[in-house]
Each structure stands twice: as structure tokens, then as C-alpha cells.
Amino acid sequence: SCNYLPNVLMEKEAEDNGVDYAVGLDEAGFLTEGPTENTGLISQDGTFLVPPFERSLRGTTVVRMMELAQSLVREGQLKEARQAPLAREAVLAAKEVMMFGTTFDVLPVVSFDGQSVGGGEPGPFFRTFLDLMRKDQQEGELLTPIAGSS
């Protein structure tokens, strides 16, 4: 079984602070995850970065987004797409920050800890990522192998 109490407490913390979402920071100050979503960013050098899955759930949506982002790397729109520890300072210095989850696919983050991110407006990669995800959902092949048990 899973213990969802931390997720519920994160939701409560967000509500208590008048924000839409809360994200976790580990004891070293690195970004982990939200209660039901992953977070990623576009760095100033054009790299798509996602926190390692060592301290967060390997979210299906963000994993798929990292796969889809490889087309943007090949086209030269992104430098690369990879996992890396993300400190609070990296989030605040990012060109764009986004959340990834089943409910909303891709969501832009315009402020973090009360500070503006990326000029306080959704950036161009948000729209590009959302379009890639939606196109993949409509036109992509289902490639998840499933095995029955007896």
C-alpha cells in the first residue's frame, strides 16, 4: 500500500498559502515532486531538466514528455533533455518552469515561492510541450505491453 498523507499535506499547504500547487524540496534543498505531478524546467541555456526519480515518482506524463522533447533536441530548439538535481535557485533562474501530470498534461508555472518565473507569463515551450503531448495522445500508438496473469 502507499501512504498518501504527505500528498494530502502538500495540498493543504498550498491551499493554506493561497497557491495552486506545492512542490517538495528534499533535505539538501533539491526539488522533488508535487502531490500528484512532476516538475521540470527550461534552463537559460535551453536544456529541459527534470529532477531525478530517486526522490520522486517516475511520472508517466513527464517521462513521455522527456521522450517527446527529443524531437526538439534534434531540431535544435532544445540543447538537451535530461534529469538533474534542481535547487530552488535553478527554478527561479529558469526561462520556464512547468508541471506535468495526468490531469492537465502540461501546466506553466509563473511564480515559485512568490517570485516571478520566466517573466511571470507562460513561455513558448509550455505551448510547444502541450501541443506535442496532445498530438501524441491523439495520433500516437499505444506501446505499453500488458501481460495477463493466470
Side-chain angles (χ1 to χ4, degrees):
S1 76
C2 290
N3 180 357
Y4 288 106
L5 184 57
N7 306 65
V8 171
L9 292 174
M10 287 177 79
E11 286 288 337
K12 182 179 180 338
E13 184 175 344
E15 186 175 311
D16 290 349
N17 286 288
V19 297
D20 295 319
Y21 293 94
V23 294
L25 297 171
D26 67 16
E27 65 277 354
F30 292 108
L31 199 64
T32 58
E33 62 186 350
T36 59
E37 55 280 323
N38 294 90
T39 306
L41 61 80
I42 306 295
S43 68
Q44 290 297 324
D45 73 353
T47 301
F48 175 39
L49 297 169
V50 172
F53 298 130
E54 297 156 357
R55 303 295 302 266
S56 64
L57 215 59
R58 181 182 164 83
T60 303
T61 306
V62 77
V63 167
R64 185 61 181 150
M65 191 71 256
M66 290 180 70
E67 294 167 354
L68 295 172
Q70 294 305 318
S71 67
L72 302 177
V73 173
R74 287 189 298 277
E75 295 169 4
Q77 293 183 52
L78 284 174
K79 180 179 176 184
E80 62 181 322
R82 63 181 170 85
Q83 291 185 301
L86 300 174
R88 179 181 182 276
E89 295 76 24
V91 175
L92 293 172
K95 282 185 180 180
E96 293 185 49
V97 177
M98 290 167 269
M99 299 183 87
F100 303 90
T102 303
T103 306
F104 50 74
D105 300 324
V106 183
L107 189 69
V109 175
V110 296
S111 70
F112 185 83
D113 276 352
Q115 296 186 38
S116 180
V117 173
E121 298 286 329
F125 279 103
F126 156 66
R127 177 54 55 196
T128 300
F129 280 18
L130 184 60
D131 289 346
L132 277 173
M133 185 65 70
R134 299 264 165 92
K135 182 178 180 184
D136 184 59
Q137 291 168 349
Q138 293 171 359
E139 300 172 9
E141 275 185 58
L142 182 61
L143 300 176
T144 305
I146 300 173
S149 63
S150 50

